[in-house]
Amino acid sequence: MTKFESKIKTIEWIDNYSKLVDQTKFPHKYEYVKITTGDEMFDAIKTMIVRGAPAIGIAGAHGIVLYAQELQNQNLSKQEFVNELLKKSDYIESARPTAVNLHWAVEKQKSIIKNPNLDIEQIVEQLRINGKKLELEDIEINKRIGDYGAMVVPKGATILTHCNAGALATVGYGTALGVVRSAFANDPTIQVFADETRPRQQGARITTLELTMDGIPTTLITDGMCSYFMKKGMIDMVVVGADRIASNGDAANKIGTYTVAIAAKYHNIPFYVAAPLSTIDTNIKSGDEIIIEERSHDEVTTINGERICAEGVNIINPGFDVTPNELITGIITEVGILKPDYKTSIAKAFENK
Ligand code: MRU
């Protein structure tokens, strides 16, 4: 197991509330918020106080515990409690549509809610235990992803990443940046190029913050620069995270990832996706079925609250794109690196789970 320890803990259940790092304040402030109600958690996911597929999965699991605690005090019959809590669970799942981890975590909590052998108190207690368990497992899973991924990082490599798939997109350690952390533990000569990632700038605001906090050399570039540096031979591999991966290996990730994958293919640079099995949606055959979140137009028309374009211009703002499986060298998971053909390797990974 990896020797690298990151100080970052993005989300943590404490007694009867959830503690989150507020990601809207980066890079100026590193502050925590205490989330004490289900509605507060819904808003935290929606407004991206917490973001990144694995982190919002755990936030969803915690949010259901918070709703359960509230409903427990309302003198409901068991049936009323269950019906209400299932509705609240669907509501929390609706906060963000693309990342399948939210659906995955909500389903795990729903199976406890639906257990006919538990009374209300037992349901609340089991939800709490499970929320904490999923939280702690996330870090261990990321460390395994990191260690598998480190095996394919060449000595002294420069690794390009897009968006933030780090400790701050998970409970801790990270998926794509977990690979970086595990590789760096063995080889301190590796470095990272981070795409800025317009429009929300997760690369600039978050990836550079967490990597520099951990002392990992990082260079920030704007999104349009990646092929320039690839042509110059300055990028050895690409590792990104994912928000949903279809059964055939098509992978949805932050908008702009597809462009990076095409550039990597053209320049013969390995392109890896690092993600836990909970990001793989075996219910869909291909990326065509992935719902892409359309985000606020203000994200495109403004920077730091200041308008950067003409009034009256048309705006489209998809939050994610889908990289076709043929551009992906491997999918780094907690059970190993899956290789093409992904239909077969993904099915096998789930068989052996
Ligand atoms: O919109 P966000 O910030 O929640 O999107 C997250 C991403 O797309 C990340 O790139 C990440 O890879 C997925 S989470 C490890």
Side-chain angles (χ1 to χ4, degrees), residues 48 50-56 96 99 101 162-166 169-170 174-176 197 200 202 206 240-243 252-255 257 274 276 293 295 319-320:
M48 291 170 75
V50 59
R51 32 74 47 205
I56 62 178
R96 293 200 66 192
N101 309 62
H162 188 78
C163 193
N164 173 262
T170 60
T175 53
T197 318
R200 292 282 298 215
Q202 289 95 329
I206 310 177
V240 296
D243 294 82
N253 194 49
K254 183 54 56 196
I255 192 78
T257 304
E293 180 180 9
R295 298 195 50 85
F320 300 89

Side-chain angles (χ1 to χ4, degrees), residues 83-95:
N83 291 345
E84 273 310 301
L85 194 51
L86 289 174
K87 270 193 232 155
K88 295 291 187 193
S89 305
D90 290 339
Y91 177 62
I92 213 139
E93 190 182 333
S94 72

